Structure formats: structure tokens, C-alpha cells
């Protein structure tokens, strides 16, 4: 092998390793992955079917989904939490006392805490996607 090929291979290996290590892709959950996460993170078992349906209809299980609303506010992440009321950009704020940035990364711990608060205060009816696709449906826990 000539030197150039060796260098190219070396470079490609480093890039690949970095990509794998830092997981730069936005995370899209599988139905089972999401179910397991919710079950292991304090979501009420009797509501899991509703949460799965909500996440599927609101964000297609995509942790980085951003939807611009008619009033120019943005709904963010897996649970499509709105930046007008529940968080602040760059500094923790809103009713969840959190940074909006944390709702579009692939760590859904903050998202989960805030989503539970939204549901407690406003009910599932607050989410248009839930009203459209989940209201008055039979929503069992998906078998995994
Ligand atoms: C997830 O959402 C992000 C941001 O909207 C988008 O760039 C990406 O393509 C989506 N991924 C999938 C698999 O739909």
C-alpha cells in the first residue's frame, strides 16, 4: 500500500470511530425501546398506552423533532413540549424550569419529567396529536 492509501484508511477509521462514539444522529425510538424506557422511568403503567400513542402521533418517536406553530412558538422533541410555556432557550425557565435545548437532544430524561408535569396540569387533551389519534381508543401496552 502506498502512503496515501494508508493515510486515507487511517483518517476514515478515525472519522468512523468518532461518529460511533458521539452518536450524532438524532435518535428515533422503536416502539419497544420507548415502551421499556417509559416502564423503567416512573410513567404510570395504566397510562403507558396513551404515552406511546402520544409520542407516535406527536413526533413519530423522533427525539429531535421541531414543529413550528402558527403563533411562531415551537414544539420540541419526543413529547412535542412547547417553548412558549414550558421552557426557556439558553437558560432554565418556563413552567418546567428547564432549557428548551434539552428537549431536542437524545437524552429524554428532562423531556420525560416535563411531559409528566404537562400531563398532570393540562391532561392528555393538551396534545393535539393525542386528541386526533389516541382519544377514546383502546391503547394496550405494546407486547415486547
Ligand atoms: C428527526 O427529526 C430531525 C429534526 O426534524 C430530522 O432532521 C430527522 O431527519 C428526523 N429523523 C427521522 C428518521 O425522521
Amino acid at each position: 500500500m502506498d502512503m496515501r492509501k494508508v493515510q486515507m484508511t487511517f483518517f476514515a477509521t478515525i472519522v468512523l470511530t468518532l461518529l460511533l462514539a458521539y452518536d450524532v444522529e438524532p435518535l428515533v425510538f422503536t416502539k419497544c425501546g420507548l415502551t421499556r424506557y417509559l416502564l423503567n422511568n416512573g410513567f404510570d403503567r395504566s397510562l403507558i398506552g396513551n404515552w406511546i400513542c402520544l409520542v407516535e402521533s406527536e413526533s413519530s418517536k423522533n427525539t429531535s423533532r421541531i414543529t413550528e406553530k402558527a403563533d411562531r412558538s415551537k414544539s420540541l422533541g419526543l413529547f412535542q413540549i412547547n417553548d412558549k410555556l414550558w421552557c426557556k432557550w439558553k437558560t432554565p425557565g418556563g413552567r418546567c424550569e428547564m432549557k428548551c435545548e434539552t428537549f431536542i437532544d437524545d437524552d429524554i430524561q428532562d423531556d420525560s419529567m416535563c411531559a409528566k408535569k404537562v400531563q398532570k396540569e393540562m391532561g392528555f387533551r393538551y396534545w393535539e396529536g393525542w386528541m386526533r389519534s389516541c382519544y377514546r381508543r383502546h391503547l394496550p401496552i405494546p407486547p415486547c
Side-chain angles (χ1 to χ4, degrees):
M1 262 206 289
D2 64 47
M3 204 53 205
R4 200 180 185 118
K5 267 189 186 153
V6 173
Q7 280 177 343
M8 291 274 283
T9 309
F10 181 69
F11 181 69
T13 307
I14 288 186
V15 169
L16 255 175
T17 309
L18 285 175
L19 279 176
L20 288 173
Y22 289 97
D23 195 12
V24 292
E25 289 294 304
L27 179 64
V28 178
F29 271 88
T30 61
K31 198 161 182 161
C32 267
L34 182 63
T35 304
R36 277 194 295 268
Y37 182 88
L38 299 177
L39 283 169
N40 292 327
N41 285 274
F43 283 80
D44 190 336
R45 203 180 166 84
S46 66
L47 300 179
I48 297 286
N50 277 285
W51 283 112
I52 304 274
C53 181
L54 182 152
V55 168
E56 285 187 320
S57 65
E58 289 285 344
S59 68
S60 309
K61 305 190 286 297
N62 184 342
T63 58
S64 343
R65 173 66 61 82
I66 300 176
T67 312
E68 189 146 348
K69 297 297 195 183
D71 65 0
R72 313 206 78 214
S73 66
K74 291 187 178 72
S75 290
L76 306 168
L78 203 67
F79 300 99
Q80 290 290 285
I81 296 170
N82 196 271
D83 69 352
K84 197 173 170 181
L85 203 55
W86 303 97
C87 61
K88 258 197 144 99
W89 293 95
K90 293 186 186 141
T91 172
R95 288 216 219 171
C96 287
E97 281 297 328
M98 286 175 188
K99 286 189 191 179
C100 295
E101 284 87 345
T102 66
F103 296 152
I104 46 178
D105 61 16
D106 64 11
D107 176 353
I108 63 164
Q109 212 175 344
D110 329 77
D111 312 49
S112 298
M113 277 167 55
C114 189
K116 283 182 208 165
K117 186 180 169 72
V118 176
Q119 194 268 332
K120 221 171 200 170
E121 291 185 14
M122 319 291 256
F124 284 120
R125 285 162 183 258
Y126 182 69
W127 279 278
E128 286 164 26
W130 183 87
M131 283 301 284
R132 195 170 52 240
S133 310
C134 317
Y135 182 50
R136 291 194 168 152
R137 306 279 169 95
H138 174 60
L139 301 166
I141 298 178
C144 283

mmCIF file of all heavy atoms in Angstrom, residues 39-69:
data_model
loop_
_atom_site.group_PDB
_atom_site.id
_atom_site.type_symbol
_atom_site.label_atom_id
_atom_site.label_comp_id
_atom_site.label_asym_id
_atom_site.label_seq_id
_atom_site.Cartn_x
_atom_site.Cartn_y
_atom_site.Cartn_z
ATOM 1 N N LEU A 39 -41.653 2.390 30.979
ATOM 2 C CA LEU A 39 -41.910 1.487 32.101
ATOM 3 C C LEU A 39 -40.840 1.602 33.180
ATOM 4 O O LEU A 39 -41.128 1.474 34.369
ATOM 5 C CB LEU A 39 -41.995 0.035 31.614
ATOM 6 C CG LEU A 39 -43.301 -0.359 30.911
ATOM 7 C CD1 LEU A 39 -43.172 -1.720 30.249
ATOM 8 C CD2 LEU A 39 -44.478 -0.356 31.895
ATOM 9 N N ASN A 40 -39.599 1.860 32.762
ATOM 10 C CA ASN A 40 -38.487 1.936 33.719
ATOM 11 C C ASN A 40 -38.250 3.337 34.271
ATOM 12 O O ASN A 40 -37.320 3.546 35.033
ATOM 13 C CB ASN A 40 -37.187 1.442 33.061
ATOM 14 C CG ASN A 40 -37.242 -0.042 32.770
ATOM 15 O OD1 ASN A 40 -37.856 -0.793 33.513
ATOM 16 N ND2 ASN A 40 -36.617 -0.460 31.682
ATOM 17 N N ASN A 41 -39.046 4.311 33.846
ATOM 18 C CA ASN A 41 -38.782 5.674 34.276
ATOM 19 C C ASN A 41 -39.979 6.373 34.915
ATOM 20 O O ASN A 41 -40.185 7.570 34.730
ATOM 21 C CB ASN A 41 -38.211 6.494 33.111
ATOM 22 C CG ASN A 41 -36.757 6.132 32.853
ATOM 23 O OD1 ASN A 41 -35.846 6.672 33.472
ATOM 24 N ND2 ASN A 41 -36.547 5.177 31.960
ATOM 25 N N GLY A 42 -40.726 5.583 35.651
ATOM 26 C CA GLY A 42 -41.738 6.157 36.529
ATOM 27 C C GLY A 42 -43.017 6.620 35.856
ATOM 28 O O GLY A 42 -43.782 7.370 36.455
ATOM 29 N N PHE A 43 -43.242 6.191 34.618
ATOM 30 C CA PHE A 43 -44.531 6.512 33.998
ATOM 31 C C PHE A 43 -45.578 5.525 34.523
ATOM 32 O O PHE A 43 -45.307 4.320 34.624
ATOM 33 C CB PHE A 43 -44.447 6.419 32.469
ATOM 34 C CG PHE A 43 -43.766 7.599 31.836
ATOM 35 C CD1 PHE A 43 -42.382 7.678 31.812
ATOM 36 C CD2 PHE A 43 -44.504 8.626 31.259
ATOM 37 C CE1 PHE A 43 -41.734 8.774 31.241
ATOM 38 C CE2 PHE A 43 -43.868 9.724 30.684
ATOM 39 C CZ PHE A 43 -42.481 9.793 30.671
ATOM 40 N N ASP A 44 -46.741 6.051 34.891
ATOM 41 C CA ASP A 44 -47.830 5.238 35.404
ATOM 42 C C ASP A 44 -48.181 4.128 34.399
ATOM 43 O O ASP A 44 -48.477 4.404 33.239
ATOM 44 C CB ASP A 44 -49.035 6.174 35.613
ATOM 45 C CG ASP A 44 -50.153 5.499 36.377
ATOM 46 O OD1 ASP A 44 -50.230 4.243 36.343
ATOM 47 O OD2 ASP A 44 -50.938 6.229 37.004
ATOM 48 N N ARG A 45 -48.105 2.879 34.849
ATOM 49 C CA ARG A 45 -48.324 1.734 33.979
ATOM 50 C C ARG A 45 -49.651 1.811 33.214
ATOM 51 O O ARG A 45 -49.736 1.467 32.038
ATOM 52 C CB ARG A 45 -48.275 0.453 34.814
ATOM 53 C CG ARG A 45 -47.933 -0.748 33.996
ATOM 54 C CD ARG A 45 -47.878 -2.039 34.794
ATOM 55 N NE ARG A 45 -47.878 -3.123 33.826
ATOM 56 C CZ ARG A 45 -46.769 -3.561 33.229
ATOM 57 N NH1 ARG A 45 -45.603 -3.094 33.540
ATOM 58 N NH2 ARG A 45 -46.857 -4.497 32.298
ATOM 59 N N SER A 46 -50.683 2.314 33.897
ATOM 60 C CA SER A 46 -52.011 2.363 33.272
ATOM 61 C C SER A 46 -52.081 3.416 32.157
ATOM 62 O O SER A 46 -53.035 3.450 31.388
ATOM 63 C CB SER A 46 -53.073 2.656 34.329
ATOM 64 O OG SER A 46 -52.876 3.954 34.846
ATOM 65 N N LEU A 47 -51.068 4.275 32.083
ATOM 66 C CA LEU A 47 -51.086 5.329 31.058
ATOM 67 C C LEU A 47 -50.084 5.097 29.928
ATOM 68 O O LEU A 47 -49.998 5.904 28.990
ATOM 69 C CB LEU A 47 -50.800 6.697 31.700
ATOM 70 C CG LEU A 47 -51.778 7.175 32.777
ATOM 71 C CD1 LEU A 47 -51.333 8.521 33.333
ATOM 72 C CD2 LEU A 47 -53.194 7.294 32.213
ATOM 73 N N ILE A 48 -49.327 4.007 30.023
ATOM 74 C CA ILE A 48 -48.264 3.757 29.036
ATOM 75 C C ILE A 48 -48.809 3.733 27.605
ATOM 76 O O ILE A 48 -48.239 4.332 26.701
ATOM 77 C CB ILE A 48 -47.536 2.415 29.322
ATOM 78 C CG1 ILE A 48 -46.823 2.458 30.676
ATOM 79 C CG2 ILE A 48 -46.543 2.073 28.206
ATOM 80 C CD1 ILE A 48 -45.563 3.277 30.723
ATOM 81 N N GLY A 49 -49.939 3.076 27.404
ATOM 82 C CA GLY A 49 -50.543 3.007 26.066
ATOM 83 C C GLY A 49 -50.818 4.399 25.515
ATOM 84 O O GLY A 49 -50.587 4.677 24.334
ATOM 85 N N ASN A 50 -51.292 5.274 26.384
ATOM 86 C CA ASN A 50 -51.549 6.656 25.969
ATOM 87 C C ASN A 50 -50.264 7.402 25.639
ATOM 88 O O ASN A 50 -50.215 8.147 24.656
ATOM 89 C CB ASN A 50 -52.303 7.404 27.075
ATOM 90 C CG ASN A 50 -53.790 7.148 27.010
ATOM 91 O OD1 ASN A 50 -54.484 7.678 26.152
ATOM 92 N ND2 ASN A 50 -54.272 6.293 27.903
ATOM 93 N N TRP A 51 -49.237 7.213 26.440
ATOM 94 C CA TRP A 51 -47.964 7.894 26.173
ATOM 95 C C TRP A 51 -47.351 7.425 24.858
ATOM 96 O O TRP A 51 -46.848 8.240 24.071
ATOM 97 C CB TRP A 51 -46.969 7.667 27.324
ATOM 98 C CG TRP A 51 -47.232 8.494 28.546
ATOM 99 C CD1 TRP A 51 -47.641 8.049 29.773
ATOM 100 C CD2 TRP A 51 -47.105 9.917 28.669
ATOM 101 N NE1 TRP A 51 -47.765 9.099 30.643
ATOM 102 C CE2 TRP A 51 -47.446 10.252 30.005
ATOM 103 C CE3 TRP A 51 -46.730 10.934 27.783
ATOM 104 C CZ2 TRP A 51 -47.423 11.575 30.469
ATOM 105 C CZ3 TRP A 51 -46.713 12.242 28.244
ATOM 106 C CH2 TRP A 51 -47.054 12.556 29.566
ATOM 107 N N ILE A 52 -47.388 6.119 24.598
ATOM 108 C CA ILE A 52 -46.827 5.597 23.344
ATOM 109 C C ILE A 52 -47.581 6.209 22.155
ATOM 110 O O ILE A 52 -46.972 6.692 21.200
ATOM 111 C CB ILE A 52 -46.972 4.057 23.269
ATOM 112 C CG1 ILE A 52 -46.319 3.387 24.475
ATOM 113 C CG2 ILE A 52 -46.432 3.517 21.943
ATOM 114 C CD1 ILE A 52 -44.866 3.117 24.349
ATOM 115 N N CYS A 53 -48.898 6.184 22.253
ATOM 116 C CA CYS A 53 -49.722 6.730 21.168
ATOM 117 C C CYS A 53 -49.429 8.214 20.983
ATOM 118 O O CYS A 53 -49.289 8.702 19.851
ATOM 119 C CB CYS A 53 -51.201 6.483 21.488
ATOM 120 S SG CYS A 53 -52.318 7.076 20.209
ATOM 121 N N LEU A 54 -49.295 8.936 22.095
ATOM 122 C CA LEU A 54 -48.995 10.369 22.040
ATOM 123 C C LEU A 54 -47.669 10.621 21.319
ATOM 124 O O LEU A 54 -47.586 11.455 20.412
ATOM 125 C CB LEU A 54 -48.938 10.924 23.468
ATOM 126 C CG LEU A 54 -48.682 12.420 23.674
ATOM 127 C CD1 LEU A 54 -49.312 12.866 24.973
ATOM 128 C CD2 LEU A 54 -47.211 12.784 23.670
ATOM 129 N N VAL A 55 -46.631 9.903 21.726
ATOM 130 C CA VAL A 55 -45.303 10.099 21.136
ATOM 131 C C VAL A 55 -45.315 9.749 19.649
ATOM 132 O O VAL A 55 -44.734 10.456 18.828
ATOM 133 C CB VAL A 55 -44.235 9.278 21.898
ATOM 134 C CG1 VAL A 55 -42.926 9.228 21.129
ATOM 135 C CG2 VAL A 55 -44.003 9.857 23.283
ATOM 136 N N GLU A 56 -46.027 8.664 19.303
ATOM 137 C CA GLU A 56 -46.100 8.287 17.879
ATOM 138 C C GLU A 56 -46.805 9.364 17.067
ATOM 139 O O GLU A 56 -46.357 9.723 15.979
ATOM 140 C CB GLU A 56 -46.816 6.940 17.724
ATOM 141 C CG GLU A 56 -45.937 5.782 18.142
ATOM 142 C CD GLU A 56 -46.560 4.427 17.851
ATOM 143 O OE1 GLU A 56 -47.790 4.277 18.045
ATOM 144 O OE2 GLU A 56 -45.807 3.527 17.433
ATOM 145 N N SER A 57 -47.893 9.898 17.591
ATOM 146 C CA SER A 57 -48.649 10.877 16.809
ATOM 147 C C SER A 57 -47.991 12.254 16.835
ATOM 148 O O SER A 57 -48.088 13.004 15.866
ATOM 149 C CB SER A 57 -50.091 10.971 17.313
ATOM 150 O OG SER A 57 -50.113 11.478 18.628
ATOM 151 N N GLU A 58 -47.304 12.585 17.910
ATOM 152 C CA GLU A 58 -46.717 13.932 18.018
ATOM 153 C C GLU A 58 -45.365 14.050 17.306
ATOM 154 O O GLU A 58 -45.091 15.041 16.654
ATOM 155 C CB GLU A 58 -46.546 14.328 19.490
ATOM 156 C CG GLU A 58 -47.849 14.618 20.219
ATOM 157 C CD GLU A 58 -48.449 15.974 19.843
ATOM 158 O OE1 GLU A 58 -47.738 16.809 19.276
ATOM 159 O OE2 GLU A 58 -49.648 16.181 20.116
ATOM 160 N N SER A 59 -44.473 13.067 17.492
ATOM 161 C CA SER A 59 -43.103 13.223 16.992
ATOM 162 C C SER A 59 -42.611 12.057 16.145
ATOM 163 O O SER A 59 -41.456 12.049 15.715
ATOM 164 C CB SER A 59 -42.139 13.390 18.172
ATOM 165 O OG SER A 59 -42.063 12.184 18.919
ATOM 166 N N SER A 60 -43.464 11.076 15.899
ATOM 167 C CA SER A 60 -43.035 9.836 15.240
ATOM 168 C C SER A 60 -41.831 9.213 15.958
ATOM 169 O O SER A 60 -40.955 8.648 15.315
ATOM 170 C CB SER A 60 -42.687 10.064 13.773
ATOM 171 O OG SER A 60 -43.727 10.733 13.129
ATOM 172 N N LYS A 61 -41.768 9.392 17.269
ATOM 173 C CA LYS A 61 -40.721 8.829 18.130
ATOM 174 C C LYS A 61 -39.341 9.422 17.855
ATOM 175 O O LYS A 61 -38.325 8.865 18.222
ATOM 176 C CB LYS A 61 -40.679 7.286 18.030
ATOM 177 C CG LYS A 61 -42.016 6.606 18.326
ATOM 178 C CD LYS A 61 -41.891 5.108 18.450
ATOM 179 C CE LYS A 61 -41.683 4.358 17.144
ATOM 180 N NZ LYS A 61 -42.795 4.464 16.190
ATOM 181 N N ASN A 62 -39.311 10.586 17.238
ATOM 182 C CA ASN A 62 -38.054 11.257 16.888
ATOM 183 C C ASN A 62 -37.696 12.287 17.971
ATOM 184 O O ASN A 62 -38.409 13.268 18.169
ATOM 185 C CB ASN A 62 -38.243 11.931 15.519
ATOM 186 C CG ASN A 62 -36.982 12.572 15.010
ATOM 187 O OD1 ASN A 62 -36.042 12.836 15.759
ATOM 188 N ND2 ASN A 62 -36.959 12.849 13.701
ATOM 189 N N THR A 63 -36.553 12.062 18.640
ATOM 190 C CA THR A 63 -36.161 12.927 19.767
ATOM 191 C C THR A 63 -35.779 14.345 19.352
ATOM 192 O O THR A 63 -35.677 15.218 20.205
ATOM 193 C CB THR A 63 -34.959 12.336 20.537
ATOM 194 O OG1 THR A 63 -33.869 12.174 19.626
ATOM 195 C CG2 THR A 63 -35.303 11.002 21.170
ATOM 196 N N SER A 64 -35.532 14.585 18.044
ATOM 197 C CA SER A 64 -35.126 15.940 17.633
ATOM 198 C C SER A 64 -36.182 16.678 16.828
ATOM 199 O O SER A 64 -35.885 17.706 16.224
ATOM 200 C CB SER A 64 -33.847 15.915 16.802
ATOM 201 O OG SER A 64 -33.160 14.740 16.924
ATOM 202 N N ARG A 65 -37.386 16.143 16.812
ATOM 203 C CA ARG A 65 -38.437 16.792 16.024
ATOM 204 C C ARG A 65 -38.745 18.198 16.548
ATOM 205 O O ARG A 65 -38.904 18.399 17.744
ATOM 206 C CB ARG A 65 -39.704 15.905 16.089
ATOM 207 C CG ARG A 65 -40.944 16.511 15.468
ATOM 208 C CD ARG A 65 -40.848 16.697 13.976
ATOM 209 N NE ARG A 65 -40.652 15.466 13.245
ATOM 210 C CZ ARG A 65 -41.617 14.614 12.893
ATOM 211 N NH1 ARG A 65 -42.861 14.869 13.210
ATOM 212 N NH2 ARG A 65 -41.344 13.527 12.236
ATOM 213 N N ILE A 66 -38.786 19.168 15.626
ATOM 214 C CA ILE A 66 -39.188 20.533 15.977
ATOM 215 C C ILE A 66 -40.335 20.933 15.057
ATOM 216 O O ILE A 66 -40.213 20.819 13.843
ATOM 217 C CB ILE A 66 -38.028 21.544 15.796
ATOM 218 C CG1 ILE A 66 -36.837 21.156 16.685
ATOM 219 C CG2 ILE A 66 -38.482 22.967 16.116
ATOM 220 C CD1 ILE A 66 -35.609 22.043 16.492
ATOM 221 N N THR A 67 -41.437 21.387 15.626
ATOM 222 C CA THR A 67 -42.569 21.815 14.818
ATOM 223 C C THR A 67 -42.876 23.271 15.105
ATOM 224 O O THR A 67 -43.087 23.651 16.257
ATOM 225 C CB THR A 67 -43.828 20.978 15.151
ATOM 226 O OG1 THR A 67 -43.483 19.602 15.144
ATOM 227 C CG2 THR A 67 -44.932 21.231 14.141
ATOM 228 N N GLU A 68 -42.850 24.097 14.062
ATOM 229 C CA GLU A 68 -43.191 25.497 14.252
ATOM 230 C C GLU A 68 -44.705 25.657 14.200
ATOM 231 O O GLU A 68 -45.357 25.169 13.279
ATOM 232 C CB GLU A 68 -42.516 26.368 13.183
ATOM 233 C CG GLU A 68 -42.686 27.837 13.504
ATOM 234 C CD GLU A 68 -41.477 28.694 13.087
ATOM 235 O OE1 GLU A 68 -40.418 28.133 12.749
ATOM 236 O OE2 GLU A 68 -41.618 29.919 13.104
ATOM 237 N N LYS A 69 -45.263 26.322 15.217
ATOM 238 C CA LYS A 69 -46.707 26.502 15.314
ATOM 239 C C LYS A 69 -47.133 27.806 14.646
ATOM 240 O O LYS A 69 -46.302 28.667 14.351
ATOM 241 C CB LYS A 69 -47.130 26.521 16.789
ATOM 242 C CG LYS A 69 -46.839 25.223 17.511
ATOM 243 C CD LYS A 69 -47.653 24.118 16.880
ATOM 244 C CE LYS A 69 -47.707 22.884 17.750
ATOM 245 N NZ LYS A 69 -48.439 21.794 17.081
#
